[in-house]
Amino acid sequence: ISAVRSTGIQFIINGPMCDEPDAPMGYYWAYKNEFVVCQENRVKGLGHQQKEVRWTAEDLDTLRHEAHHVVQDCMNQNYRDGELGAVYSDPIQLAKNFLSTDTLSWIINEGYAKEDDHTKVMEMEAFAVAAMNDPLEQVRDIQKFCF
């Protein structure tokens, strides 16, 4: 969280947008300079009054996934413009190494079915990095690529 905040991105936990129908577990939105985690055990319906609750494994996975999108956004020449670039030389192989075939199938055919191939690859890489579960490497990546 500190590494993300050090980039100047506004880090939000359980903001009012988390009460929207079909709210995601989290997101990084470059254009609003926002990184949001909607905690799994939050009390819904509190809007701005919602407080941070105890972090679950899913919350931490969301944090790692969205943090990787920040790094991906630092990979192109127009730094943090929402155009994500691969951090790893072979993101598809990375995904195959860390994700199950069911997860890969879900990304391609369900979760991101309407997205273009580039977005699907960026999502595969982000899911794989989250599954790697190495937050210190992610902090180093933010420091290396985002400054």
Side-chain angles (χ1 to χ4, degrees), residues 18 23-27 36-40 42 56 58-59 62:
C18 295
M25 295 298 294
Y27 61 86
V36 175
V37 174
C38 298
Q39 291 183 295
E40 187 175 31
R42 70 189 179 279
T56 66
E58 180 66 37
D59 297 337
T62 299

Side-chain angles (χ1 to χ4, degrees), residues 35-147:
F35 183 121
V36 175
V37 174
C38 298
Q39 291 183 295
E40 187 175 31
N41 293 329
R42 70 189 179 279
V43 178
K44 296 178 183 172
L46 293 180
H48 291 291
Q49 275 57 48
Q50 175 63 65
K51 303 291 184 212
E52 181 177 350
V53 297
R54 185 174 184 177
W55 287 72
T56 66
E58 180 66 37
D59 297 337
L60 295 172
D61 188 66
T62 299
L63 174 63
R64 293 188 303 271
H65 177 98
E66 299 304 332
H68 191 68
H69 284 320
V70 171
V71 178
Q72 289 173 326
D73 200 18
C74 294
M75 297 306 292
N76 66 48
Q77 293 178 341
N78 299 320
Y79 173 76
R80 289 197 23 229
D81 65 353
E83 296 296 323
L84 306 183
V87 178
Y88 291 82
S89 60
D90 191 346
I92 294 173
Q93 187 59 51
L94 178 79
K96 288 178 180 178
N97 291 343
F98 286 94
L99 302 174
S100 70
T101 54
D102 286 346
T103 299
L104 290 171
S105 178
W106 178 85
I107 292 167
I108 295 165
N109 300 313
E110 296 177 48
Y112 298 89
K114 295 180 182 179
E115 302 296 335
D116 62 30
D117 288 345
H118 177 76
T119 299
K120 290 174 185 172
V121 172
M122 294 301 95
E123 289 299 333
M124 284 190 277
E125 186 182 79
F127 277 101
V129 168
M132 289 168 61
N133 196 5
D134 189 350
L136 291 178
E137 181 176 334
Q138 290 191 271
V139 168
R140 287 190 296 271
D141 285 347
I142 289 170
Q143 293 167 344
K144 179 178 179 180
F145 297 115
C146 295
F147 290 98

